[in-house]
Amino acid sequence: MTIVVTGGAGFIGANFIYYMRSAHPDYRIVCIDKLTYAGNLSTLAPIMDDPDFRFIKADICDRDAIETVFQEEKPDILVNFAAESHVDRSIADPQVFLQTNVLGTQVLMDACRKYGIKRYHQVSTDEVYGDLPLDRPDLFFTEETPIHASSPYSASKAAADLLVIAYHRTYGLPVSISRCSNNYGPYQFPEKLIPLMIANALSDKQLPVYGQGINVRDWLYVEDHCKAIDLILHNGSAGSIYNIGGHNEMRNIDIVKLICHALNKPESLICYVKDRKGHDLRYAIDPAKIHEELGWLPDTKFADGIQKTIAWYLENREWWEEIVSGEYQKYYEKMYGA
Ligand code: NAD
Ligand code: TYD
C-alpha cells in the first residue's frame, strides 16, 4: 500500500505520517510539501532515511510535478493536508488560500482521475459550517449542517469540499472528507493559539487575547485526529463526510490562563488586543456519525493532552525557537505590532 500525504511537513500532516508509520509499518509513505513558511523539514528528519518514506518538495498546484509523482509511485491512497491554514493570514491576504486550498485540490483530484486511486481523502475543517451562538450550548455541527463559512480561509476550505463532492458525483472519484475541530499537540506552528501562548509565556512575552477571550473552540489532541483519518481511509464509505471532535469546548481565555498556571507564569502577561475581523464565536462538533459507523472515540483527555503538549514545547525549544527567530518574526510584528 502506498499513501501520498500532501502537506506532511506541517503540523497535522507530520503527526499523521508518524502515526501511520507506527500503525502500518508495511505502508510506503510519500510526502509532498511545498515547504511554505508553515512547512518544516526538520520535523521529518527522523524518518528521512527510511527506505519506505520519500519526501518530494512540490506545490500541489503544479500539475506536472503531481503527475510525475503518480507515474513514479502509483499511489493507492492520497490524503490531502496541504493548505494555507491560518485564519488571520487569510484575512490579511486571501489570494494564496484560493490558489492552494481550492485549485491545488482540483489538481490533486485530476491526477487521481487520470491515474486511478482507491481513495482520495480531503482533510477539511469544522470552520466550513461557520459558527454557533455562545448562548446555545445545545447546538452542534452535524454533517448535515449547511456550509456557512466566515473567513477567506474557511470559505476556501468549503469551496474545496464542494469540489470534492462534485468530483464524486460527476466522475465517481472515491472520495471522503473529514471535518475536524481545532487540533493541538506537538509540531504545531507557533502562530496558532496554543503554541503561540506556550512560546510567548516561556519567553515572558505578552499573551495577546483577541476581544474578550470568550470565543469557544472544541479542542482535539492531534493523534486522535490522525486515528480518525486512518479509520475513515480503511472503513469509511466513499462519498462520505465525517465530523471529528471530542466534545471538549473551551473559552480562549481559560486556555491561556491554564497555560500560565502550568508554566508558573503570571496572568499579568495576558493582554487583550483588537478582535479578529468576523471572529467566529463558537465551534462544536457532534461526532455521533464517526462514533456509530466506525467506532471512533478520542483517547486523550484535554487535561492530559495539554500537559503532553506543554512538555513537548519545553523539551523541543530548538524546534520552535528557530521558527520564532526567523521569517515568522516579520509576520508577528505586522500582526501584533509592538
Ligand atoms: P499547517 O499550516 O501546519 O501545514 C500545512 C502544510 O501544507 C505545510 O507543511 C505547508 O508547507 C504545506 N503547503 C501549503 N501550501 C502548499 C502547496 N501549495 N503545496 C504543497 N504543500 C503546501 O496546517 P495544519 O494545521 O497541519 O493543517 C493541515 C490540514 O488540516 C489543513 O488542510 C487544515 O485546513 C486542516 N485542519 C486543521 C486544523 C487545525 O486545528 N490545525 C483543524 C481542522 C482541519
Ligand atoms: P487559532 O489557533 O488561530 O484557530 P482558529 O481561529 O482556526 O480556531 O485561534 C483559536 C482561537 O484563539 C480563536 O478564537 C482566535 C484566538 N486567538 C487569540 O485570542 N489570540 C491569538 O494570538 C491567536 C493566534 C488566536
Side-chain angles (χ1 to χ4, degrees):
M1 182 76 83
T2 297
I3 302 198
V4 167
V5 176
T6 65
F11 164 47
I12 310 175
N15 277 283
F16 181 74
I17 287 171
Y18 286 121
Y19 177 86
M20 292 301 276
R21 172 50 74 242
S22 104
H24 307 280
D26 52 324
Y27 286 11
R28 176 166 174 75
I29 300 177
V30 178
C31 171
I32 300 176
D33 198 296
K34 186 182 176 183
L35 297 180
T36 67
Y37 79 94
N40 194 338
L41 210 45
S42 75
T43 302
L44 297 173
I47 203 179
M48 263 337 208
D49 293 331
D50 186 329
D52 275 332
F53 176 76
R54 180 178 175 200
F55 178 82
I56 299 164
K57 183 176 184 304
D59 187 331
I60 59 165
C61 301
D62 181 343
R63 209 168 271 277
D64 290 342
I66 298 302
E67 291 202 3
T68 303
V69 176
F70 272 75
Q71 285 158 9
E72 290 176 2
E73 295 289 347
K74 301 178 180 51
D76 300 285
I77 292 174
L78 189 150
V79 186
N80 181 24
F81 290 93
E84 289 293 333
S85 69
H86 190 36
V87 173
D88 294 321
R89 286 180 191 258
S90 83
I91 294 168
D93 186 6
Q95 173 69 39
V96 69
F97 284 73
L98 299 183
Q99 185 71 29
T100 287
N101 299 3
V102 185
L103 298 178
T105 296
Q106 183 213 355
V107 168
L108 294 173
M109 290 195 298
D110 282 346
C112 290
R113 283 183 61 212
K114 185 166 174 182
Y115 294 96
I117 200 84
K118 293 196 182 90
R119 176 63 60 87
Y120 172 88
H121 184 77
Q122 179 75 358
V123 180
S124 186
T125 164
D126 61 356
E127 299 192 29
V128 300
Y129 298 121
D131 62 353
L132 296 163
L134 291 174
D135 60 356
R136 289 292 307 272
D138 55 314
L139 296 181
F140 296 93
F141 298 137
T142 73
E143 289 79 0
E144 272 69 51
T145 302
I147 298 258
H148 197 270
S150 313
S151 70
Y153 162 68
S154 53
S156 69
K157 293 296 290 185
D161 282 12
L162 294 176
L163 200 61
V164 173
I165 294 160
Y167 269 54
H168 176 67
R169 166 95 185 233
T170 308
Y171 306 117
L173 195 71
V175 305
S176 45
I177 298 177
S178 52
R179 293 178 177 154
C180 191
S181 59
N182 286 60
N183 285 215
Y184 68 101
Y187 301 115
Q188 188 168 27
F189 194 90
E191 66 182 351
K192 304 281 170 62
L193 180 75
I194 289 181
L196 181 116
M197 296 301 165
I198 297 173
N200 279 17
L202 285 172
S203 313
D204 295 307
K205 280 171 68 177
Q206 287 195 317
L207 308 176
V209 170
Y210 298 166
Q212 295 172 275
I214 54 173
N215 303 62
V216 170
R217 298 292 184 263
D218 182 358
W219 294 94
L220 186 73
Y221 193 60
V222 62
E223 202 175 66
D224 283 321
H225 185 186
C226 297
K227 199 176 99 181
I229 294 173
D230 185 18
L231 273 175
I232 295 168
L233 294 178
H234 292 96
N235 304 328
S237 50
S240 282
I241 297 170
Y242 294 92
N243 282 355
I244 309 172
H247 280 304
N248 185 69
E249 292 176 51
M250 306 264 300
R251 297 190 316 169
N252 295 338
I253 186 65
D254 297 327
I255 295 210
V256 177
K257 285 183 177 172
L258 190 157
I259 291 170
C260 284
H261 297 161
L263 292 173
N264 212 11
K265 298 289 180 182
E267 282 184 16
S268 57
L269 284 177
I270 296 172
C271 70
Y272 293 90
V273 299
K274 201 167 151 243
D275 209 351
R276 174 185 278 173
K277 288 190 177 77
H279 198 171
D280 279 336
L281 293 171
R282 170 176 169 250
Y283 302 143
I285 283 276
D286 175 357
K289 178 176 172 182
I290 190 164
H291 174 58
E292 282 157 22
E293 267 189 31
L294 307 180
W296 178 86
L297 276 177
D299 289 327
T300 303
K301 291 195 181 73
F302 187 77
D304 300 331
I306 193 74
Q307 290 310 332
K308 277 205 268 186
T309 303
I310 291 171
W312 188 88
Y313 280 86
L314 277 168
E315 282 157 23
N316 293 275
R317 280 190 91 116
E318 249 173 56
W319 184 89
W320 59 267
E321 276 178 347
E322 207 168 281
I323 293 169
V324 173
S325 63
E327 191 61 21
Y328 167 68
Q329 198 51 39
K330 284 187 206 151
Y331 162 82
Y332 193 87
E333 272 152 28
K334 196 172 141 202
M335 179 71 202
Y336 300 101

